[in-house]
């Protein structure tokens, strides 16, 4: 009787390496957003010409959007969608300037303008998601108006009167809740996703998930960061013709790069603010 061959155990299973390196979501302190702004201001001072170019671009978008809202409010959503389409690509140019400066490279305007071309698929998908969110936000706002104004949509002046009329507090509260929920979702998805796409050439879904993780692990600090963004933009728009955006636009763009670098740590990363 022949003996059975000795049993040979299979080699141990070794999982394939992941395409995306492991990352760590850092715990942030409340001083972090102010450090990001300080680092962004340093980038602006180091390259005022490039930052000024993007500041003018953001300012022109705000001027066009405001003019359309005042003259033809029915086209406001269309122009806002166009701004949302162009804005992330402009912001990526500022991230590229900060990325190069942090890496010890010399930034230049041409490379910052075209830095998105190698990330077009991921950027296109993320921008599409943001536009869909913006359209849903607009539709939800129309529903709120329809519920509280059964005589039809008010005019532009009527909208402003309705918002600032204390007697319409129920409408203001509902509008603020709906708008705040969508604003929070958009901010959570985009807080660090575009800088991550630029830095790691990752897909839009992974970048958006990472951004949500940053928001989840550092909710209070990221809310502070969002409040600073809103306050700076609001103060800029309060100035005549919104000229404050010439400074706050690039400042927040550079600062967002450092928000990503401060919140997301990769293996062998250097320490950043």
């Amino acid at each position: 009787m022949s003996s059975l061959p000795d049993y040979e155990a299979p080699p141990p299973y070794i999982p394939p390496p992941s395409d995306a390196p492991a990352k760590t979501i850092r715990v942030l302190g409340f001083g972090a957003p102010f450090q990001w702004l300080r680092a962004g201001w340093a980038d602006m001072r180091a390259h005022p010409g490039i930052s000024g170019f993007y500041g003018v671009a953001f300012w022109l978008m705000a001027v066009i959007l405001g003019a359309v809202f005042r003259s033809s409010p029915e086209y406001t959503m269309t122009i806002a969608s166009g701004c949302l389409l162009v804005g992330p690509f402009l912001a990526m140019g500022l991230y590229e300037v900060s990325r190069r400066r942090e890496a010890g490279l010399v930034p230049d305007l041409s490379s910052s303008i075209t830095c998105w071309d190698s990330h077009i698929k991921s950027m296109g998908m993320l921008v599409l998601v943001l536009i869909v969110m913006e359209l849903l936000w607009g539709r939800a706002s129309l529903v709120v108006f329809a519920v509280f104004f059964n005589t039809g949509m008010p005019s532009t002046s009527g909208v402003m009167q309705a918002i600032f009329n204390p007697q319409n507090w129920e409408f203001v509260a509902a509008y603020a809740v709906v708008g705040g929920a969508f604003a929070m979702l958009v901010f959570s998805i985009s807080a660090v996703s575009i800088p991550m796409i630029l830095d790691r050439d990752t897909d839009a879904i992974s970048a958006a998930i990472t951004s949500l993780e940053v928001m989840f692990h550092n909710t209070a600090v990221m809310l502070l960061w969002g409040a600073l963004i809103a306050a700076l933009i609001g103060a800029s728009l309060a100035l005549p013709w919104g000229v404050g955006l010439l400074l706050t636009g690039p400042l927040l763009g550079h600062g967002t790069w450092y928000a990503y670098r401060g919140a997301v740590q990769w293996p062998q990363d250097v320490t950043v603010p």
Side-chain angles (χ1 to χ4, degrees):
M1 180 184 224
S2 60
S3 60
L4 295 175
D6 294 337
Y7 172 76
E8 294 183 3
Y13 171 73
I14 301 177
S18 173
D19 292 334
K23 65 180 184 296
T24 302
I25 306 300
R26 301 171 66 182
V27 177
L28 302 171
F30 283 99
F34 301 98
Q35 294 175 355
W36 303 336
L37 290 176
R38 185 168 63 246
W41 178 252
D43 285 354
M44 288 182 62
R45 293 185 60 187
H47 301 282
I50 301 177
S51 297
F53 169 82
Y54 287 101
V56 171
F58 287 125
W59 174 72
L60 286 176
M61 286 197 301
V63 169
I64 294 173
L65 185 60
V68 171
F69 177 75
R70 288 188 294 269
S71 61
S72 302
E74 64 273 17
Y75 297 111
T76 301
M77 192 63 66
T78 302
I79 301 300
S81 299
C83 293
L84 193 59
L85 178 64
V86 176
F89 292 93
L90 290 174
M92 182 175 271
L94 291 167
Y95 307 154
E96 174 68 3
V97 172
S98 295
R99 185 191 72 82
R100 281 177 169 263
R101 187 164 182 262
E102 184 183 356
L105 304 174
V106 179
D108 61 88
L109 182 60
S110 60
S111 63
S112 69
I113 293 176
T114 59
C115 65
W116 52 266
D117 59 355
S118 59
H119 314 284
I120 186 63
K121 291 183 178 179
S122 297
M123 284 294 294
M125 177 61 70
L126 184 61
V127 169
L128 178 61
V129 171
L130 295 178
I131 289 178
V132 170
M133 293 300 303
E134 189 249 355
L135 293 175
L136 291 175
W137 186 349
R139 179 64 62 180
S141 298
L142 290 177
V143 171
V144 173
F145 275 110
V147 169
F148 287 91
F149 297 95
N150 54 15
T151 58
M153 280 291 296
S155 62
T156 303
S157 59
V159 170
M160 302 308 295
Q161 292 176 359
I163 292 177
F164 292 104
N165 189 346
Q167 296 181 352
N168 294 331
W169 68 268
E170 293 178 334
F171 160 75
V172 174
Y175 192 80
V177 169
V178 172
F182 276 96
M184 178 65 66
L185 183 57
V186 170
F187 175 69
S188 299
I189 291 174
S190 59
V192 301
S193 53
I194 300 177
M196 179 175 167
I197 290 174
L198 173 66
D199 184 39
R200 295 286 164 170
D201 194 25
T202 186
D203 62 278
I205 301 302
S206 298
I209 291 175
T210 299
S211 189
L212 290 169
E213 288 177 337
V214 171
M215 191 71 184
F216 177 78
H217 289 285
N218 296 281
T219 304
V221 176
M222 295 306 293
L223 287 177
L224 173 60
W225 176 233
L228 287 174
I229 293 174
L232 287 172
I233 293 177
S236 300
L237 295 176
L239 296 175
W241 293 96
V243 294
L245 283 177
L246 295 170
L247 287 178
T248 56
L251 174 63
L252 293 174
H254 290 303
T256 299
W257 168 259
Y258 291 104
Y260 157 70
R261 294 287 287 122
V264 183
Q265 184 176 16
W266 301 94
Q268 300 177 346
D269 262 353
V270 296
T271 302
V272 297

